Amino acid sequence: MIKAVTGTKDILPSEINRWYYLENIIKEVFSVFNYKEIRTPIFEETSLFARGIGEETDIVSKEMYTFSDRSETSLTLKPEMTAGVVRAYIEHSLGTLQPLTKLFYISPMFRQERPQAGRFRQFHQFGAEAIGSTSPLLDAEIIQMSYHILKQLGLKDLTVKINSLGVPVSRENYKKILKEFLQDKKNKLSEDSRKRFDTNILRIFDSKVESDQNILKDAPLLINYLDEESKNDFEVVKEFLIRIGIPFEIDAALVRGLDYYTKTTFEIISKKVGSQSALCGGGRYDLLIEELGGKPTPGVGVAAGMERILLACENENSFSTPDQFIDVYIVRIDKELELEVSEIASRLRRKNLIVDCDYLSRSVKAQMREANKLNAKFVLIMGGDEYKNGDVQLKNMSDGEQKTIKTEKIVEIILAAKEQSHK
Ligand code: HAM
């Protein structure tokens, strides 16, 4: 039997209401902040991600689903959205329509990581990008929206971590200082960190290896070597978060796994989902648009893992969705009434009632069982002499009351009964 590919997951009808619930909150919150939805293709030219995210990052060097199509173009399934959104922003000159472009998205992403709880190879992100302003209040807005969505879902156990990576000059300067500090300890670092020492020294802070962590305990921190502008912007972000009552921690080791960040970075962590604890992450990327061929334009954004968020919600039991139901199930006593049943179903559906009936020639008893299983609010029973005389039975499943009604009045009576049951 062919099974779903490792690290991918079917979202079954029994789970879909939780996804709708999450998606509705995302759309509601982003629209309150005036972000508009953008949908970009599932695959892009590989060079977009290599240039955008950075050749030396784990995503680009180890995790991308890259393939050649029949015309030998190297394509990659998107591992994240920011590069694609920026490509679309440049390609369609969105900045000329609006100097500040606020976009949001919900989309599947693909990374060939080792699957574990909360980590998949196809997963879904929602996110937002605000392109066109250097205002640190936008950094705070992005954090605020992310926090707001997680709170709306009822999550309690959240930690907002923020950091600043500065501008490239101060960062390059700091990298030299960090290199000097680590030089004589290099041999004691893990193999991965030794590699990063040469390729991407900041990422050593991502190491989970205890001996690396011990060495890094005394390391100089980038946050103490920031340029004036980054320092001031970081102060504004902090001040605004305090004003609007979002608690945060400063995590000077928060370097993030993508190379495009400048100044503010942040993550929101949940302790309720195991080791893959980052529900969302993001930051400012003031050089990315230029790097991808656009005019120098600043940007800031966030992306969140939807499977991980739903896992946190499940573990915290933070919300429940109403049971699934249908309005009417039509039970047919005589097989010959098939067409009539379907016709009545179609009249009821035109009034937006959720209606189903039997297509499997089941017995009356089996049809009743099905009505119960589908959590039908009303059951319509059609057949026998009664139907010939222009009558049907309508059973209200909540109180078991059953009455005889005129066939031509079915729609009117069911609508009225539904209205009544809402009161
Ligand atoms: P990221 O930190 O790579 O950032 O991913 C954002 C979120 O996506 C993570 O915090 C996590 O919740 C989720 N995620 C990542 N990988 C997986 C996976 N394999 N399985 C399940 N969930 C996962 C970005 O993608 C940036 N584009 C964020 C950003 C937007 N920065 C600026 N704008």
Side-chain angles (χ1 to χ4, degrees):
M1 198 206 112
I2 300 173
K3 294 200 166 157
V5 175
T6 309
T8 69
K9 185 170 158 299
D10 300 306
I11 300 170
L12 298 173
S14 57
E15 304 162 77
I16 202 68
N17 276 354
R18 294 178 71 76
W19 284 80
Y20 289 159
Y21 188 84
L22 170 58
E23 285 163 14
N24 285 338
I25 290 180
I26 295 164
K27 288 177 187 165
E28 236 169 66
V29 172
F30 284 143
S31 71
V32 166
F33 284 82
N34 197 26
Y35 284 67
K36 302 278 187 290
E37 187 173 357
I38 183 163
R39 300 183 186 188
T40 66
I42 291 288
F43 53 84
E44 300 268 0
E45 284 192 25
T46 303
S47 56
L48 173 72
F49 302 117
R51 271 168 63 188
I53 303 169
E55 299 272 9
E56 299 300 339
T57 58
D58 283 354
I59 297 180
V60 173
S61 66
K62 302 190 212 159
E63 297 168 1
M64 295 205 302
Y65 282 97
T66 297
F67 59 97
S68 283
D69 71 0
R70 287 172 200 276
S71 49
E72 298 299 311
T73 309
S74 178
L75 301 173
T76 294
L77 301 183
K78 57 185 171 188
E80 60 106 53
M81 266 299 269
T82 313
V85 167
V86 166
R87 193 240 344 109
Y89 172 88
I90 300 169
E91 189 170 334
H92 304 287
S93 307
L94 296 182
T96 58
L97 303 175
Q98 224 152 24
L100 173 60
T101 309
K102 290 170 149 194
L103 304 166
F104 84 87
Y105 47 81
I106 300 175
S107 173
M109 304 290 154
F110 307 85
R111 296 184 193 177
Q112 191 163 5
E113 295 191 79
R114 199 167 45 78
Q116 61 182 90
R119 189 159 76 187
F120 301 94
R121 291 183 169 173
Q122 174 172 340
F123 58 100
H124 295 77
Q125 280 187 345
F126 71 82
E129 314 291 345
I131 305 176
S133 164
T134 53
S135 170
L137 285 173
L138 270 179
D139 308 20
E141 177 170 296
I142 290 280
I143 298 172
Q144 186 189 0
M145 288 192 300
S146 317
Y147 189 71
H148 205 53
I149 290 171
L150 299 175
K151 278 287 178 194
Q152 292 261 82
L153 288 164
L155 289 172
K156 292 199 177 71
D157 198 352
L158 299 173
T159 311
V160 180
K161 294 187 171 185
I162 61 171
N163 189 22
S164 176
L165 299 182
V167 297
V169 182
S170 56
R171 191 157 62 217
E172 287 313 311
N173 181 32
Y174 164 76
K175 279 187 191 168
K176 281 190 207 132
I177 296 166
L178 181 62
K179 210 160 211 171
E180 258 166 48
F181 169 82
L182 289 173
Q183 193 68 52
D184 58 346
K185 305 167 188 70
K186 190 178 166 188
N187 292 338
K188 297 197 189 102
L189 289 171
S190 64
E191 193 189 329
D192 251 6
S193 291
R194 276 204 305 279
K195 260 191 228 143
R196 285 174 173 170
F197 182 90
D198 295 314
T199 55
N200 204 349
I201 192 160
L202 282 185
R203 292 292 313 282
I204 290 185
F205 282 103
D206 272 353
S207 169
K208 302 267 182 306
V209 180
E210 207 181 322
S211 52
D212 288 354
Q213 286 295 335
N214 281 334
I215 294 173
L216 288 169
K217 261 203 319 247
D218 304 318
L221 294 171
L222 175 50
I223 195 121
N224 299 323
Y225 293 86
L226 291 180
D227 51 284
E228 276 311 301
E229 194 183 270
S230 301
K231 229 190 285 182
N232 291 337
D233 285 359
F234 197 49
E235 286 308 312
V236 175
V237 173
K238 288 191 287 185
E239 192 189 325
F240 186 69
L241 292 179
I242 291 169
R243 270 191 192 219
I244 57 172
I246 296 184
F248 61 86
E249 284 173 12
I250 295 168
D251 180 354
L254 184 69
V255 291
R256 309 262 308 125
L258 304 95
D259 278 356
Y260 48 60
Y261 291 113
T262 51
K263 297 185 177 171
T264 312
T265 54
F266 76 96
E267 282 184 358
I268 304 181
I269 307 291
S270 163
K271 287 190 210 80
K272 293 287 181 349
V273 285
S275 67
Q276 299 306 305
S277 60
L279 300 186
C280 67
R284 186 161 272 288
Y285 47 87
D286 287 348
L287 302 170
L288 178 63
I289 289 122
E290 212 174 329
E291 178 62 38
L292 293 177
K295 284 203 282 270
T297 314
V300 57
V302 62
M306 294 168 73
E307 284 80 1
R308 228 174 256 190
I309 289 174
L310 287 174
L311 183 64
C313 292
E314 209 175 302
N315 292 348
E316 281 199 36
N317 204 1
S318 74
F319 73 85
S320 55
T321 51
D323 289 338
Q324 294 182 351
F325 70 93
I326 67 169
D327 289 311
V328 186
Y329 190 86
I330 309 177
V331 170
R332 169 192 36 73
I333 298 174
D334 305 316
K335 174 139 177 58
E336 307 77 66
L337 290 181
E338 259 180 351
L339 275 175
E340 282 76 3
V341 166
S342 287
E343 195 193 331
I344 287 172
S346 107
R347 274 168 53 201
L348 291 166
R349 286 167 182 155
R350 277 203 294 274
K351 296 289 177 196
N352 271 345
L353 292 165
I354 310 168
V355 182
D356 216 344
C357 52
D358 177 58
Y359 297 95
L360 300 171
S361 303
R362 280 178 282 197
S363 68
V364 171
K365 213 166 150 195
Q367 291 179 64
M368 281 309 286
R369 258 204 309 272
E370 182 68 5
N372 270 317
K373 212 157 105 190
L374 292 172
N375 197 9
K377 301 286 171 228
F378 296 95
V379 174
L380 203 57
I381 305 157
M382 291 172 51
D385 288 340
E386 199 177 41
Y387 184 73
K388 285 193 197 116
N389 296 332
D391 290 327
V392 292
Q393 294 289 315
L394 179 66
K395 183 168 181 183
N396 183 335
M397 299 297 273
S398 59
D399 56 14
E401 192 198 335
Q402 188 164 324
K403 56 186 177 192
T404 309
I405 61 172
K406 286 274 160 234
T407 312
E408 72 262 20
K409 298 251 178 198
I410 289 175
V411 176
E412 193 184 316
I413 291 173
I414 290 181
L415 281 176
K418 191 182 168 183
E419 183 88 350
Q420 190 63 31
S421 69
H422 279 318
K423 283 186 184 152

